[in-house]
Amino acid sequence: MPLNLFDTLSRTSRVIAPLDGKTLRFYCCGPTVYGPAHIGNFRTFVAQDVFRRVIEQGGLTTLHVRNLTDVDDKTIRDSQKAGQTLTDFTQHWTTKFHADCAALNLLPPHVEPSAVAHIPHQIRMIEKLIEGGHAYATPDGSVYFKVSSFADYGRLSHLEDRELKLGASSTASATDSDEYTKDSLADFALWKGKKADDGPNHWPSPWGDGRPGWHLECSAMSLEYLGEDFDVHGGGVDLIFPHHENEIAQSCCATHGKFAHHWFHVTHLLVDGGKMSKSLGNLYTLEQLGERGYTPVEVRYVLISGHYRTPLSFTLHSLDSARQALQKLAKFDKALREVTSLSGVISGTTPGPFAGAWETLSDDLNVPGALGDIFGIINKTKPASLTPDEAKVTLEGFHFLLYALGLQLPSLVEEATADVPADIAELAEKRWQAKQSKDWATADVLRKELEAAGWIIKDNKDGYQVLRK
RNA sequence: GGCGAGGUAGCAAAGUGGUAAUGCACUGGUCUGCAAAACCGGUAUGCGCGGGUUCAAUUCCCGCCCUCGCCUCCA
């Protein structure tokens, strides 16, 4: 079943099919490694991961490139604040980012290029742009892209009348000291001449020492690894303008290609009714949620539980809800395994009874709809009444979908009772004895004590279990 | 001001021109000394507001209100 995906440029859903007929090539704007990524950032990366998984489950191969922005205003500023070299500083946050990605079960990109490592590529691209009359150097050693030289500028964002909104921005101003040398306020930097507060962070270029402009990094790296034309380019909606608009301009003017043929943008995660962002101080990281007892798979579940083009409200309650939902999935898995006697990793190759969910997922990555379909099948299926063969087909179809969603089932709560402290075990035993002698009052008091300590008792006919609450 | 997205049950969130998936929460039952767990059920006459089109609109059209995002380096 081919995947239909909404394309920001044409504003329509289009079938995803590789330009070269074999490999789906896509580029994702990666993180700026100057601090911990928050779960809003990860909403985008998780959505891209589901996209890739669905493509691959559909039988296509992919070439997934996601960059690391390890040189820009913020990395330079904060590395100096931290008293570290830019390399040490960005390496630290890159390691952290990778750990979070692994925890969230994100498939690693096939190529993860570093911006710093591709400065020569960026310089070559700037040279081409200058040759073609699309860029110009200024006396301070910077190079700017000449927006007026690209007629299609604004097609992606539909912000075509640049002059109109210049007055509306609170930050843009014709007197910005950084930008006074530009021909037009709309022009953007390809290369930034060295400034005193950049410290040692500058590189040689034909226009003097300096550093690359942010937008150019992605153009240069996608060209290097994916070519002049490639299938899909993705990122958060906030990148549509100016970042992606500028990438299009640079790339189309520097090459003969059309750049990305399909644009995949993920809407923001909301918290407290608004955007989660570092500057607003309302962000959650995976680590912070972990301290509150939430697991990465629960976070992943929440992040995919809303359609990628719809704002999603994040709350701690949604994580609790996700925990219960995952338990329900895990119970279904266990019940099926008992009928089939299968264990270990199940790798389904077809959706089986979950074909409806797979179809839903293939329609613009409708994950919440697919989850609804999956639970619908689960509610109708009685594992115990299936033959081993039927259960096997169901289990494989179930795992086909779980893989596409990247959900790794948690262990069941009732199985997670490895270590019961001695004092708790003693209390539990006392309660059991009280119960055996039908001293209900004492038994109930003891049970309440255990509960207060964070443990619950589950009785059955001939014994009991002590479980973590 | 411009561009874009969204307003569906207590919370979250799908979906459809013919009478509302799903998860959580809540709740009835079975079980239990009572619970918990598990299992079997129940829970929106309603989809921001007002018009219109239609045999029929939450779904299409028009107007309005509200929320959120972007408008030069935020996923």
Side-chain angles (χ1 to χ4, degrees):
Chain A
M1 166 132 348
L3 172 66
N4 248 302
L5 189 75
F6 186 82
D7 166 36
T8 312
L9 186 59
S10 64
R11 315 253 163 180
T12 56
S13 280
R14 295 165 52 212
V15 172
I16 293 295
L19 291 169
D20 70 1
K22 295 179 301 216
T23 302
L24 198 287
R25 289 168 292 156
F26 69 107
Y27 186 91
C28 303
C29 292
T32 299
V33 280
Y34 74 115
H38 58 72
I39 59 169
N41 296 316
F42 280 115
R43 182 185 193 192
T44 298
F45 300 133
V46 168
Q48 290 165 344
D49 186 63
V50 172
F51 169 68
R52 174 171 159 189
R53 286 167 179 272
V54 169
I55 293 285
E56 292 180 357
Q57 289 283 75
L60 292 171
T61 56
T62 58
L63 178 54
H64 176 194
V65 179
R66 186 182 65 213
N67 73 290
L68 291 164
T69 296
D70 49 8
V71 52
D72 79 324
D73 292 355
K74 291 175 299 221
T75 47
I76 288 176
R77 180 195 66 205
D78 291 357
S79 64
Q80 298 196 92
K81 219 183 276 176
Q84 291 181 300
T85 65
L86 183 64
T87 308
D88 287 349
F89 180 77
T90 56
Q91 188 53 56
H92 170 78
W93 291 113
T94 298
T95 302
K96 195 99 178 146
F97 175 68
H98 285 155
D100 284 354
C101 286
L104 286 168
N105 198 28
L106 298 179
L107 296 169
H110 301 101
V111 187
E112 194 171 37
S114 136
V116 169
H118 292 76
I119 289 178
H121 303 75
Q122 297 171 53
I123 289 175
R124 279 202 294 279
M125 204 157 183
I126 295 172
E127 287 173 328
K128 273 191 193 163
L129 288 169
I130 291 178
E131 282 166 27
H134 295 290
Y136 56 91
T138 57
D140 67 344
S142 297
V143 180
Y144 289 92
F145 183 87
K146 191 176 174 65
V147 166
S148 61
S149 75
F150 182 59
D152 267 356
Y153 195 83
R155 266 186 67 208
L156 182 70
S157 58
H158 292 203
L159 290 174
E160 287 164 56
D161 191 345
R162 303 276 296 161
E163 299 312 315
L164 251 182
K165 58 192 188 328
L166 286 175
S169 167
S170 58
T171 52
S173 149
T175 57
D176 271 359
S177 60
D178 190 29
E179 306 184 339
Y180 69 97
T181 51
K182 294 193 288 188
D183 285 0
S184 158
L185 205 50
D187 294 351
F188 55 91
L190 299 171
W191 185 262
K192 294 181 151 191
K194 173 179 147 186
K195 284 186 292 192
D197 51 10
D198 290 344
N201 302 301
H202 49 80
W203 291 261
S205 84
W207 314 282
D209 282 7
R211 58 197 169 87
W214 179 55
H215 307 298
L216 191 63
E217 300 173 359
C218 292
S219 285
M221 292 187 278
S222 59
L223 176 64
E224 176 68 11
Y225 297 102
L226 299 174
E228 298 185 350
D229 287 86
F230 58 93
D231 295 289
V232 178
H233 191 130
V237 283
D238 55 335
L239 296 182
I240 293 173
F241 188 87
H243 186 54
H244 289 160
E245 198 71 76
N246 291 354
E247 280 188 57
I248 293 172
Q250 295 157 353
S251 297
C252 291
C253 291
T255 74
H256 300 292
K258 280 176 58 186
F259 197 48
H261 286 233
H262 195 121
W263 289 87
F264 171 32
H265 288 107
V266 181
T267 297
H268 286 300
L269 186 69
L270 302 182
V271 60
D272 305 328
K275 189 168 84 163
M276 181 178 298
S277 76
K278 198 165 191 171
S279 54
L280 294 174
N282 60 356
L283 49 79
Y284 286 99
T285 64
L286 211 51
E287 190 176 0
Q288 289 168 333
L289 293 173
E291 285 162 7
R292 289 170 178 264
Y294 295 108
T295 64
V297 67
E298 287 162 0
V299 174
R300 181 174 175 115
Y301 189 96
V302 170
L303 294 179
I304 63 174
S305 69
H307 186 91
Y308 78 89
R309 286 199 286 129
T310 302
L312 175 65
S313 302
F314 173 82
T315 60
L316 293 178
H317 176 257
S318 63
L319 286 168
D320 294 328
S321 176
R323 173 169 298 173
Q324 293 310 120
L326 285 162
Q327 283 292 310
K328 187 164 177 174
L329 295 175
K331 280 170 197 160
F332 184 67
D333 177 68
K334 187 188 175 202
L336 286 174
R337 284 176 191 264
E338 279 168 2
V339 178
T340 61
S341 305
L342 288 173
S343 61
V345 176
I346 310 286
S347 45
T349 51
T350 59
F354 294 92
W358 177 238
E359 196 174 324
T360 301
L361 196 55
S362 301
D363 182 13
D364 201 22
L365 297 176
N366 186 351
V367 175
L371 284 170
D373 293 342
I374 289 170
F375 281 108
I377 296 292
I378 288 176
N379 290 338
K380 276 184 205 145
T381 305
K382 308 293 167 227
S385 68
L386 299 179
T387 65
D389 282 348
E390 289 168 339
K392 182 167 181 286
V393 170
T394 305
L395 187 61
E396 287 177 349
F398 183 50
H399 279 268
F400 179 88
L401 265 300
L402 289 177
Y403 180 85
L405 299 175
L407 292 177
Q408 292 175 312
L409 295 177
S411 55
L412 291 171
V413 165
E414 63 194 70
E415 288 165 353
T417 57
D419 46 342
V420 181
D423 55 327
I424 297 294
E426 197 181 321
L427 271 181
E429 184 55 31
K430 268 192 193 165
R431 179 202 163 260
W432 178 249
Q433 295 307 332
K435 183 183 160 162
Q436 290 311 99
S437 34
K438 300 200 190 295
D439 180 359
W440 311 129
T442 305
D444 288 351
V445 167
L446 289 169
R447 185 167 61 198
K448 275 195 181 134
E449 258 180 64
L450 283 161
E451 261 190 58
W455 297 84
I456 52 173
I457 298 290
K458 189 174 156 188
D459 287 339
N460 40 46
K461 275 174 243 145
D462 334 295
Y464 62 94
Q465 273 184 287
V466 188
L467 306 168
R468 217 175 266 285
K469 203 170 177 180

